[in-house]
Amino acid sequence: MLRRLYQWVIALAERPSATWALAGVSAAESSFFPVPPDIMLVPMCIARPDRAWWYAFVCTAASVLGGLVGYAIGALLYETVGMFLIQLYGYGDKVDAFAQAYAEYGHWIILIKGLTPIPYKVVTITSGFAHYSLFWFVVLSIITRGARFFLVAGLLYWIGPPARVFIEERLGLVTFVFALVVVGGFIAAVYLF
């Protein structure tokens, strides 16, 4: 079943509409969606390594735009939508401490948490809630999200076909490690928030 799902994702990644889907997932992940865009970025870079840099750019731009939606949720709708989303991900009791940390370490929080598997939507919503500088939020989001997505795309571009062979031969292991990283990101966010 896992192999069929993988083949379906690879086939989907080769379609012209895949770029739009990647942008949608990337934007949604930065504001409310729990699945990271890597789930599409990796197969798309494997299926079309010649477009890896373009996919990283699309992922970055959409993530920053989605981050602005998350920021708006935190700044304008925190009492309704923002609080619901933060509590849904299990961080409701830590938002005040996180908002206070922005006063002293705001730049570092965005840079570090944007690179990790910690859900970025928590950063975007809390940035809005803390009324962090919108200018610096955008600049730092471009840097951190760009670094993350261009690193993934670059590795897959440079490794090329051997990456595809490695993933296809060890699909179960790769899927397990990816799931472990995502779950670990959620757990780390609870304890490191």
Side-chain angles (χ1 to χ4, degrees):
M1 181 172 132
L2 186 58
R3 183 135 328 263
R4 271 190 290 148
L5 179 62
Y6 172 77
Q7 294 300 335
W8 178 78
V9 171
I10 289 291
L12 181 65
E14 293 172 338
R15 293 183 186 165
S17 61
T19 305
W20 289 106
L22 175 66
V25 168
S26 188
E29 185 271 338
S30 293
S31 52
F32 65 88
F33 193 59
V35 178
D38 306 73
I39 197 114
M40 289 192 67
L41 179 62
V42 170
M44 289 175 70
C45 289
I46 287 172
R48 295 283 311 269
D50 58 311
R51 299 197 58 161
W53 302 117
W54 169 247
Y55 294 145
F57 172 77
V58 167
C59 222
T60 301
S63 182
V64 172
L65 290 174
L68 287 171
V69 173
Y71 186 98
I73 289 171
L76 306 172
L77 302 171
Y78 183 76
E79 295 300 321
T80 55
V81 178
M83 189 180 300
F84 169 76
L85 289 171
I86 294 292
Q87 289 179 351
L88 180 68
Y89 292 106
Y91 309 119
D93 58 337
K94 299 180 182 198
V95 170
D96 290 330
F98 192 61
Q100 289 174 349
Y102 263 93
E104 194 170 345
Y105 306 108
H107 284 39
W108 291 110
I109 290 170
I110 294 172
L111 285 172
I112 293 169
K113 292 188 184 279
L115 286 171
T116 67
I118 291 172
Y120 195 59
K121 71 203 72 17
V122 175
V123 174
T124 65
I125 293 170
T126 308
S127 295
F129 171 72
H131 301 291
Y132 185 74
S133 165
L134 183 59
F135 172 79
W136 283 112
F137 172 77
V138 171
V139 169
L140 296 170
S141 291
I142 291 169
I143 292 169
T144 192
R145 300 308 270 177
R148 175 179 167 187
F149 298 132
F150 276 92
L151 177 66
V152 169
L155 286 172
L156 293 169
Y157 175 80
W158 285 312
I159 296 171
R164 186 173 190 159
V165 171
F166 178 85
I167 290 170
E168 289 176 357
E169 287 179 354
R170 296 165 184 87
L171 188 58
L173 175 64
V174 170
T175 304
F176 175 74
V177 169
F178 181 77
L180 195 63
V181 167
V182 170
V183 170
F186 278 96
I187 293 170
V190 170
Y191 292 105
L192 299 176
F193 201 108

